[in-house]
Amino acid sequence: MNDTSYNGWTNYATWRVNLEIFDGHDPEGFDFDQGAYRLGKDLREYAEQLIEDSSDEGLARDYALAFLREVDWTDIAKHMIDAYAEENYGIVD
């Protein structure tokens, strides 16, 4: 079995998407009370829309969207929920 984790994240795609799209992102507009699974779905939709809005149809967009399929969205959501709780309520998990 291969360990595909990367810098403490599930895999490279998860680390990279969190770094490039969500790290330092103003969390306004996301519901942190809905749980990690549902938030993960919202994050995925946000990232897909970002790619579709900022690129033309074609091979590059197709590759970018395919890359998103490798992301563990729940992992990113849990990280964001924990950071939000710590920042707003002083709660450290």
Side-chain angles (χ1 to χ4, degrees), residues 2 6 9 17 19 29-30 34 39 49-50 58 62 72 74 77 82:
N2 293 335
Y6 192 87
W9 292 89
V17 166
L19 177 68
F30 293 113
Q34 65 183 329
L39 177 58
Q49 192 64 52
L50 182 67
D62 292 345
D72 182 339
T74 304
D82 290 346

Side-chain angles (χ1 to χ4, degrees), residues 2-73:
N2 293 335
D3 178 13
T4 60
S5 63
Y6 192 87
N7 282 346
W9 292 89
T10 305
N11 56 31
Y12 175 77
T14 304
W15 169 79
R16 184 70 185 260
V17 166
N18 181 70
L19 177 68
E20 298 292 340
I21 297 177
F22 298 110
D23 189 38
H25 179 297
D26 183 5
E28 208 169 301
F30 293 113
D31 180 3
F32 293 97
D33 294 324
Q34 65 183 329
Y37 177 75
R38 182 64 210 154
L39 177 58
K41 290 183 75 154
D42 289 347
L43 297 174
R44 180 180 183 157
E45 290 173 12
Y46 175 85
E48 288 173 345
Q49 192 64 52
L50 182 67
I51 289 170
E52 289 172 2
D53 290 348
S54 64
S55 63
D56 295 328
E57 288 185 31
L59 185 62
R61 179 191 284 185
D62 292 345
Y63 272 100
L65 292 171
F67 187 76
L68 294 184
R69 288 189 216 117
E70 301 300 317
V71 173
D72 182 339
W73 296 101

Side-chain angles (χ1 to χ4, degrees), residues 76-87:
I76 295 175
K78 287 177 184 175
H79 175 77
M80 290 179 77
I81 289 169
D82 290 346
Y84 182 82
E86 183 177 351
E87 184 177 313

